[in-house]
Amino acid sequence: MAVVKYVLLLRVSTQKQSASGNGLEAQRRDINLFLRHQNEPVVVKELVEVESGAETNRPVLDEAIRLCRLHKATLLVQKVDRLSRDLERLASIVKMKDVPVRVACLPNADNFQIHLFGCLAAQEREFISQRTRSAMAAAKKKGAKFGNPKLADLNRTRKYQAKTEASAVAPIVLPLRQRGMTLQEIANTLNQMNVKTSTGRTFYPTQVKRILDRVAS
């Protein structure tokens, strides 16, 4: 089996994160875990970038791509958003036929799937923001009191939160279900994308099923 070379790209958004190591250790942990499951991988270089993932002008990312082409290596990042939060830039990267991309937290994803996850994650972030504001406003009109609600208000609020979560995550869950993924596989994918439930917890198959049921109802 041919040896696969990798250029590692780690990204943090601020100088403070870079100086403290906040975020970098987790990225290295996940990347090293991925590499341990590969056949004698060769790391060409590790690059650390201090830049927002939404920026389009990213010289460190450009250098990583250059090294990949020079050494015929694969670009490896921890998560899709470490590569780019700008969907146009992400699309241009995954379309590069001479630069394979791998994501440590999505070890089986190909370039098409990486782009899909990036699009869905961006949509999910926007949906959560919009739906949460809308749900809270509707709940307040019905008398819900946030901060010190009575039991009836609390139950009403929870129902709105459940509907909000279903609406926000459905654009991710439905395509994956249509691709034939099991409830457990969908839950694993949501957790790998760092998507949280309305209570800030990780997803389990039962929660995925509830979302599918709510969307279908």
Side-chain angles (χ1 to χ4, degrees):
M1 186 177 293
V3 173
V4 179
K5 300 177 183 178
Y6 293 93
V7 173
L8 314 184
L9 177 63
L10 289 72
R11 182 183 63 77
V12 290
S13 299
T14 65
Q15 287 285 355
K16 183 177 180 180
Q17 286 180 321
S18 177
S20 66
N22 183 27
L24 293 178
E25 291 183 4
Q27 291 180 59
R28 287 196 179 98
R29 178 201 63 211
D30 292 341
I31 286 174
N32 288 334
L33 180 62
F34 172 90
L35 292 174
R36 282 200 294 270
H37 288 82
Q38 307 307 306
N39 182 48
E40 298 182 358
V42 174
V43 176
V44 175
K45 191 170 184 178
E46 176 191 289
L47 298 175
V48 176
E49 181 180 40
V50 182
E51 187 63 79
S52 168
E55 287 291 334
T56 55
N57 182 26
R58 294 173 54 190
V60 178
L61 173 58
D62 294 337
E63 173 65 7
I65 292 173
R66 186 190 71 81
L67 289 173
C68 285
R69 286 173 170 153
L70 178 64
H71 296 279
K72 292 182 169 48
T74 295
L75 180 60
L76 176 59
V77 295
Q78 179 210 27
K79 296 179 180 179
V80 177
D81 63 3
R82 298 300 177 182
L83 186 58
S84 180
R85 287 181 180 270
D86 180 86
L87 294 182
E88 290 187 9
R89 185 68 191 274
L90 179 62
S92 68
I93 294 172
V94 298
K95 287 180 181 178
M96 296 177 181
K97 295 182 179 180
D98 56 344
V99 181
V101 178
R102 299 297 299 275
V103 177
C105 291
L106 296 169
N108 298 317
D110 57 22
N111 280 31
F112 170 78
Q113 292 169 323
I114 290 170
H115 186 214
L116 174 64
F117 286 132
C119 293
L120 293 177
Q123 189 178 46
E124 184 265 344
R125 287 193 297 268
E126 179 62 22
F127 276 160
I128 284 181
S129 177
Q130 292 179 358
R131 299 290 185 179
T132 299
R133 290 196 298 268
S134 177
M136 291 183 67
K140 287 180 179 179
K141 286 183 179 180
K142 291 181 177 292
K145 299 178 182 179
F146 298 97
N148 186 28
K150 297 180 181 179
L151 182 59
D153 290 337
L154 181 60
N155 289 336
R156 188 182 299 113
T157 301
R158 285 175 175 171
K159 288 181 180 179
Y160 275 108
Q161 289 176 335
K163 290 180 180 179
T164 299
E165 179 179 270
S167 299
V169 183
I172 302 176
V173 171
L174 290 177
L176 298 180
R177 189 62 167 172
Q178 291 167 359
R179 290 170 68 93
M181 294 181 70
T182 66
L183 297 177
Q184 182 65 65
E185 289 172 335
I186 295 174
N188 292 342
T189 300
L190 291 171
N191 294 331
Q192 289 170 350
M193 294 173 67
N194 202 31
V195 178
K196 300 296 183 182
T197 68
S198 58
T199 57
R201 300 179 180 178
T202 56
F203 277 90
Y204 292 93
T206 53
Q207 293 163 312
V208 175
K209 186 177 187 305
R210 289 194 193 107
I211 290 173
L212 291 170
D213 291 342
R214 290 188 186 108
V215 173
S217 63

